[in-house]
Amino acid sequence: MKLFISYRRQDSIHAAHRVRMTLQARFGDEAVFIDREIPPGTRWDEHIESMLQASTGVVVIVGDEFMGLLRKSTDVEKSDPMVWEIATALRLNKRLYPVLVGRTDMPEPDHLPPTIRDFSRSQAVFAREPAFDSGLAVLVRSLATAHDRADVLAPQVTAEAPLPVLGPRALLAAALVLAAAWLCGRLILWLQSPATGAAAPFEAALWEGARYGLATALWGLAPYTAYWLVAVLRARASLPMQGFVGTLSAVNLCVVMVFSGSFLLLSTVAGWRLTPLWVFPERPTLGHYALLAVLLLVPAVAAVFTAVQEPLARKLEQPQRGRRMKALHTVNGGVTFYEMWLAASLAFSTQLSLGADPIAVLGYFMLCPTLSLLYLFGWKYSHAGLDIQRRGWELRFLCALVAGLYLMCTLALYAYGPGRVLAG
């Protein structure tokens, strides 16, 4: 087998190199060609055409600039090497494997030059971050099946791993986490009241720091984890993340996680209880609290269920697919209404104490979700597009500086806002 990788250097060069390394690791170095391997002094067009002729599959890395170029240029067939490579591969009747790494879906035939309109008929692999590795797994499986490489599809047999044992590193990591929680809690209590905060016992500082860490992780990383789960599931099913259904699944999963987790955190505060609107009487019984547990658990399970089942439902044949999708849309709509009811119940149950700063409360809950954006765009996309692990200390220092500023801002806002709310 011989795989040819076609890409645009302006927007997908690092994605192309990640694809190359993955394919070489699974099929061998000699099975993959990329234009960086052209010998010096060789006419690149002649060499590329000869490699296309010898190839048994052409992997086309499609970024956002590819569609942008097609929309802007009318003479793209002559000026763009990637379009020429696709046209040559189609002329030679080579099988194409599109790998979409940007926000765009596969282009419609009318949006493509006449020589590459058949490109839109090739089934694409969706490998946009954070589902890049999942998309590549789909690509490897397709290539192995097409080239009859059973050795790649066979599961890797490894020796049975011993049971994990808590070693010195694990104990040291646990100790560092506890120390960080205690230090954060001590700083929060000191910001709230310098006189009493300095004399607070160890347990109080540790509990305050743990609650800050859990709340920040919940409100900060829940959007990313929900988006990651939906993106990976859809990538494995060769479906794009973009669109109403994928977005709604991610939003529902995120909101259910955040609100249910917030209820659990608030339930640790003495004297606080959730007052579900239109459900609880003035004097609730044990049955009402059992109903509350069901109301908190079932929608969370439903949100995960729809995120998992929607990609599977799209693989069914009609009319079964239509019935399954209609049922999933109904469940998604019910989860959305539930989220609005739970948000209203939480707002009705939570009263700001007189010592809390409403601006700090609002600022904290606005700043937390940026943690997902910092991780997704500042780290995941930078790692994919800039190869951050091989950069110098300047870029690492910048990342550390941003993380430090984020930590200090959330600590201060939590101390003056949610920390005082929870303190009553």
Side-chain angles (χ1 to χ4, degrees):
M1 64 183 299
K2 190 68 174 181
L3 304 175
F4 184 100
I5 298 179
S6 176
Y7 67 100
R8 287 182 56 79
R9 295 184 180 180
Q10 289 83 347
D11 66 335
S12 57
I13 182 171
H14 292 286
H17 284 302
R18 291 176 68 184
V19 171
R20 181 198 64 176
M21 289 187 292
T22 300
L23 297 182
Q24 286 179 337
R26 301 304 298 271
F27 300 107
D29 294 347
E30 299 300 322
V32 183
F33 170 80
I34 196 170
D35 62 0
R36 293 294 186 180
E37 300 171 0
I38 299 176
T42 306
R43 284 184 58 93
W44 66 267
D45 53 345
E46 295 178 355
H47 189 81
I48 285 179
E49 185 166 2
S50 67
M51 297 306 297
L52 282 169
Q53 289 177 345
S55 66
T56 58
V58 180
V59 179
V60 184
I61 314 297
V62 181
D64 292 328
E65 290 224 1
F66 180 70
M67 286 299 298
L69 178 71
L70 296 179
R71 285 191 294 265
K72 294 178 182 178
S73 177
T74 58
D75 196 26
V76 68
E77 295 179 76
K78 299 179 180 178
S79 60
D80 188 69
M82 183 172 169
V83 174
W84 175 79
E85 290 174 356
I86 297 173
T88 304
L90 290 171
R91 176 170 54 83
L92 296 172
N93 293 320
K94 301 298 180 178
R95 180 176 291 187
L96 300 180
Y97 299 86
V99 178
L100 305 187
V101 297
R103 295 184 298 272
T104 57
D105 200 345
M106 275 295 287
E108 297 293 334
D110 296 341
H111 295 165
L112 295 174
T115 56
I116 64 169
R117 282 181 181 169
D118 285 344
F119 176 62
S120 62
R121 299 180 181 178
S122 301
Q123 177 62 42
V125 172
F126 296 91
R128 188 188 181 196
E129 290 290 359
F132 191 89
D133 293 333
S134 298
L136 288 193
V138 175
L139 175 65
V140 168
R141 187 164 57 249
S142 299
L143 290 169
T145 301
H147 291 84
D148 196 22
R149 290 290 301 269
D151 58 316
V152 174
L153 296 175
Q156 300 295 323
V157 179
T158 57
E160 184 177 355
L163 294 176
V165 179
L166 290 180
R169 290 186 177 181
L171 295 177
L172 178 60
L176 291 176
V177 170
L178 290 176
W182 172 81
L183 184 61
C184 290
R186 178 71 69 187
L187 181 57
I188 291 171
L189 295 175
W190 179 81
L191 288 172
Q192 292 175 350
S193 176
T196 59
F202 174 83
E203 296 81 1
L206 181 62
W207 176 245
E208 193 68 31
R211 194 156 53 184
Y212 156 77
L214 289 173
T216 305
L218 175 69
W219 284 84
L221 287 178
Y224 171 77
T225 53
Y227 177 77
W228 171 85
L229 176 62
V230 176
V232 167
L233 290 173
R234 294 179 70 84
R236 290 178 178 176
S238 297
L239 294 172
M241 180 60 194
Q242 293 72 28
F244 176 76
V245 177
T247 303
L248 181 61
S249 297
V251 170
N252 278 343
L253 187 58
C254 169
V255 174
V256 166
M257 288 173 56
V258 169
F259 286 163
S260 299
S262 298
F263 165 75
L264 293 176
L265 283 175
L266 287 170
S267 64
T268 63
V269 180
W272 186 91
R273 68 173 184 173
L274 178 66
T275 306
L277 296 178
W278 314 302
V279 175
F280 270 26
E282 291 187 7
R283 295 183 177 180
T285 64
L286 182 62
H288 290 96
Y289 284 103
L291 176 61
L292 176 60
V294 172
L295 290 175
L296 290 172
L297 178 62
V298 171
V301 175
V304 177
F305 175 80
T306 55
V308 172
Q309 288 296 317
E310 187 265 336
L312 300 177
R314 291 189 179 275
K315 291 187 174 183
L316 300 175
E317 299 293 336
Q318 293 289 7
Q320 189 179 4
R321 180 175 64 181
R323 292 195 298 267
R324 184 72 61 84
M325 289 301 300
K326 186 176 181 179
L328 291 176
H329 290 331
T330 303
V331 174
N332 260 334
V335 172
T336 302
F337 280 109
Y338 162 80
E339 292 164 354
M340 293 188 290
W341 168 80
L342 183 57
S345 298
L346 283 170
F348 181 77
S349 304
T350 306
Q351 301 293 328
L352 292 180
S353 63
L354 295 178
D357 182 358
I359 302 299
V361 174
L362 182 62
Y364 175 79
F365 288 114
M366 290 179 64
L367 184 60
C368 277
T370 60
L371 184 59
S372 287
L373 298 178
L374 287 173
Y375 183 77
L376 179 60
F377 294 102
W379 181 256
K380 293 292 286 187
Y381 279 114
S382 295
H383 174 66
L386 300 177
D387 199 9
I388 194 173
Q389 291 185 342
R390 298 183 182 179
R391 300 294 170 176
W393 66 268
E394 297 90 349
L395 195 53
R396 295 174 180 272
F397 172 76
L398 180 61
C399 293
L401 180 61
V402 172
L405 290 173
Y406 181 87
L407 175 65
M408 295 305 297
C409 288
T410 52
L411 274 172
L413 290 172
Y414 180 90
Y416 292 113
R420 290 183 176 177
V421 172
L422 297 178

